[in-house]
Amino acid sequence: MKTVTKMGNRKRIKPKKLRKGDVVRAIDAGVKWEHIYFILEDQTEGNHVQCFSVCNLTGSKIPKGEHAFELSEYDLPEVWFKTKKPQTWLRCKDIKCIRKLQIIEELGNIIESHPKLWSDICRAFHSCRISEKFKNACDCEYEIIQREINLELYKEEDCECET
């Protein structure tokens, strides 16, 4: 969503701030085609060159040693995909980030529209402990997961995300 304000004779477009859980279509530098990304952090005030920590969806085979979670069992929105492949993986690299200018389209927020999927992703992050940035993305979820483990309501699963 964009807000238009008038400045003299010029119109200024004020883009919506990105926040944790936003689902976007973007092109990453060095990649030939668009991917779907989940933003893992809120946009900070006035920082237009910020590189946002992300995970991306892919239907491609995951290289050995990379972290990925299979999402094929979830009913993901068709609007996210131009061509949906038989398998869908959430790729999570510690160094992966995109800039706001690389974003082509905003597709909603996974935390709001698919809370169960987001919770399951956070449980996978909790089990794998790939990077501190994933803990930050799932801050409240991590507290709930840890409380459930402590109360023996939930058993922490083995990390099965590394290929």
Side-chain angles (χ1 to χ4, degrees), residues 99-154:
R99 299 196 186 280
K100 194 162 186 177
L101 292 175
Q102 294 171 286
I103 296 173
I104 298 166
E105 182 179 12
E106 295 178 23
L107 301 169
N109 186 289
I110 187 172
I111 298 170
E112 294 169 358
S113 60
H114 296 84
K116 165 109 173 69
L117 173 57
W118 182 252
S119 180
D120 289 350
I121 290 169
C122 287
R123 286 183 187 280
F125 287 160
H126 188 274
S127 296
C128 288
R129 307 199 193 250
I130 303 165
S131 167
E132 192 65 26
K133 73 179 178 185
F134 301 122
K135 181 178 182 180
N136 294 337
C138 294
D139 50 8
C140 294
E141 291 282 342
Y142 266 32
E143 293 172 16
I144 294 167
I145 294 165
Q146 195 57 55
R147 196 173 320 124
E148 289 175 347
I149 291 169
N150 294 343
L151 294 171
E152 298 180 358
L153 300 172
Y154 170 73

Side-chain angles (χ1 to χ4, degrees), residues 7 14 20 29 63-64 84 92 94 103 105 114 120 130 141:
M7 293 179 59
K14 193 174 181 182
K20 178 175 32 180
K64 188 86 172 137
K84 195 167 184 179
C92 303
D94 189 35
I103 296 173
E105 182 179 12
H114 296 84
D120 289 350
I130 303 165
E141 291 282 342

Side-chain angles (χ1 to χ4, degrees), residues 9 26-27 29 56 74-75 90-91 99 114 116 127 150 161:
N9 292 335
I27 294 183
N56 72 287
Y74 294 92
D75 187 24
L90 178 65
R91 289 174 87 174
R99 299 196 186 280
H114 296 84
K116 165 109 173 69
S127 296
N150 294 343
C161 62

Side-chain angles (χ1 to χ4, degrees), residues 21-75:
D22 280 349
V23 181
V24 298
R25 185 181 321 278
I27 294 183
D28 192 7
V31 179
K32 295 179 183 176
W33 48 85
E34 303 167 0
H35 277 87
I36 301 301
Y37 294 89
F38 296 158
I39 303 292
L40 299 178
E41 62 187 322
D42 292 337
Q43 182 176 355
T44 56
E45 192 66 39
N47 192 346
H48 67 283
V49 294
Q50 179 178 352
C51 189
F52 294 95
S53 296
V54 295
C55 284
N56 72 287
L57 295 182
T58 185
S60 302
K61 186 174 171 146
I62 305 298
K64 188 86 172 137
E66 232 181 76
H67 291 93
F69 307 106
E70 187 171 6
L71 301 180
S72 301
E73 67 184 63
Y74 294 92
D75 187 24

